[in-house]
Amino acid sequence: MRIILAQPRGFCAGVVRAVEIVERALEKYGAPVFVRHEIVHNKRVVQTLEAKGARFVNELDEVPPGAVTVFSAHGVARAVEQEAALRGLPVLDATCPLVSKVHAEGRRYLAQGRTVILIGHAGHPEVEGTLGQIPGEVHLVGSAEAVARLPIPPDRPVAFVTQTTLSVDDTRAVIEALKARFTDIVGPDTRDICYATQNRQSAVRALARQVELLLVVGSANSSNSNRLAEIGAEEGVPCHLIPDAAAIRPEWLEGVATIGLTAGASAPETLVQEVIAALGRLGPVEVSTLPGIIEDVQFKLPVALLTPEASAAS
């Protein structure tokens, strides 16, 4: 059996930074450190951090007074930031810098007098955070069809921003529909779309064309992992989103000689290696990696974690 790995796959720089923030906070301040929502959408990551002393909560009222608190990589609304400040909680913000950039873009467009349109999935933590970071009129659209239902006159100045876990390919049809409807519209350059999302989707599309079965490692609540699986299906190859090696079903492998393997941006490489090991227990395997982009992006950690003294986080 041949196993071909996508390149790139797995952790992006924003996820690496978020996980490292929690780990360093535990080292510096000691357990427990409280994290609002899952730091990233992956159960293995969450369980590993819990074992080290992290405590994950749904809302800030679950955090004891004075406890070090981490905001997840998806970002939070200003109301959450304000609540933490009112309670005097020492906060470490693990919001992905690319998500923070979307927040800044939305506020800048609003300051220009434009109505802001956010392209994204309703209910996603990143979308909820972005909606709460832009202090004005913001409309959420999830599809090209939804553009026609926007209660905005076609001659009103508008601007669009996008959820970072959507790629250029994902947003193209919506952006085209927006530009066709509104006469005065601006938005970020496509280079501002999350590089990691686009890179992983391009890689899995190329991989799907060379294999008989595609396995995507990622959690069911991970937007970018689900999209990778959808792309495999679009390319006409049987595809399964799996949280770990235990989810593999032997019937998927019947008559299959070549398997493609990738992982969502919040899935650690250890899960990929466990899948390879599990397949190897079924028979001899040959593992190779499809040529692709080598990512070297790194994001800085909060200043509070770079200083040696265990003072209050900021």
Side-chain angles (χ1 to χ4, degrees):
M1 183 184 297
R2 291 182 61 213
I3 301 172
I4 306 178
L5 304 176
Q7 175 63 39
R9 65 183 180 277
F11 275 8
C12 62
V15 169
V16 170
R17 175 180 181 270
V19 172
E20 188 172 356
I21 284 173
V22 179
E23 291 177 335
R24 289 211 184 191
L26 287 165
E27 292 171 3
K28 183 169 183 177
Y29 305 109
V33 165
F34 288 81
V35 185
R36 184 183 180 275
H37 293 175
E38 292 185 340
I39 186 68
V40 296
H41 282 159
N42 187 270
K43 295 196 182 304
R44 175 67 64 84
V45 172
V46 169
Q47 291 167 352
T48 300
L49 292 174
E50 282 179 330
K52 295 179 179 180
R55 297 291 178 266
F56 293 87
V57 299
N58 290 320
E59 300 300 340
L60 291 184
D61 60 12
E62 301 172 58
V63 179
V68 175
T69 305
V70 180
F71 293 155
S72 82
H74 302 107
V76 299
R78 281 191 165 180
V80 176
E81 296 174 339
Q82 291 164 356
E83 180 185 353
L86 284 172
R87 292 195 55 203
L89 296 175
V91 169
L92 293 163
D93 190 355
T95 301
C96 174
L98 296 181
V99 175
S100 296
K101 184 176 183 180
V102 172
H103 297 169
E105 286 171 340
R107 291 192 290 266
R108 177 168 57 85
Y109 289 137
L110 192 70
Q112 294 171 356
R114 295 181 178 275
T115 297
V116 179
I117 299 167
L118 171 59
I119 303 171
H121 299 312
H124 190 281
E126 181 187 328
V127 166
E128 293 179 350
T130 300
L131 291 171
Q133 281 284 342
I134 304 173
E137 185 179 354
V138 185
H139 296 266
L140 176 65
V141 293
S143 66
E145 293 73 23
V147 171
R149 299 191 294 271
L150 285 169
I152 308 171
D155 58 348
R156 181 184 296 179
V158 300
F160 66 86
V161 293
T162 70
Q163 179 181 334
T164 64
T165 50
L166 301 178
S167 70
V168 175
D169 294 338
D170 295 331
T171 59
R172 182 177 290 112
V174 181
I175 293 172
E176 288 176 354
L178 289 170
K179 289 181 175 178
R181 177 169 176 190
F182 297 104
T183 57
D184 184 358
I185 181 169
V186 296
D189 189 277
T190 54
R191 289 173 295 184
D192 285 350
I193 298 286
C194 175
Y195 75 93
T197 298
Q198 185 62 50
N199 288 350
R200 280 153 188 72
Q201 291 189 12
S202 297
V204 81
R205 198 174 292 279
L207 177 64
R209 294 167 182 167
Q210 300 191 30
V211 299
E212 300 165 80
L213 172 70
L214 180 65
L215 299 178
V216 178
V217 180
S219 293
N221 63 338
S222 166
S223 174
N224 73 85
S225 298
N226 275 282
R227 184 66 187 119
L228 293 178
E230 290 171 2
I231 288 172
E234 289 172 5
E235 293 297 327
V237 63
C239 182
H240 301 280
L241 175 65
I242 57 173
D244 52 37
I248 298 172
R249 297 289 174 262
E251 57 267 26
W252 297 346
L253 310 177
E254 294 177 4
V256 173
T258 307
I259 296 175
L261 181 57
T262 190
S266 50
E269 179 65 16
T270 53
L271 290 175
V272 173
Q273 295 305 316
E274 288 172 11
V275 168
I276 293 172
L279 293 173
R281 289 192 288 272
L282 300 176
V285 296
E286 172 191 324
V287 182
S288 61
T289 301
L290 200 66
I293 294 172
I294 305 296
E295 295 175 346
D296 57 2
V297 176
Q298 292 182 322
F299 293 135
K300 293 180 180 179
L301 294 172
V303 174
L305 294 178
L306 301 177
T307 54
E309 65 278 2
S311 57
S314 59

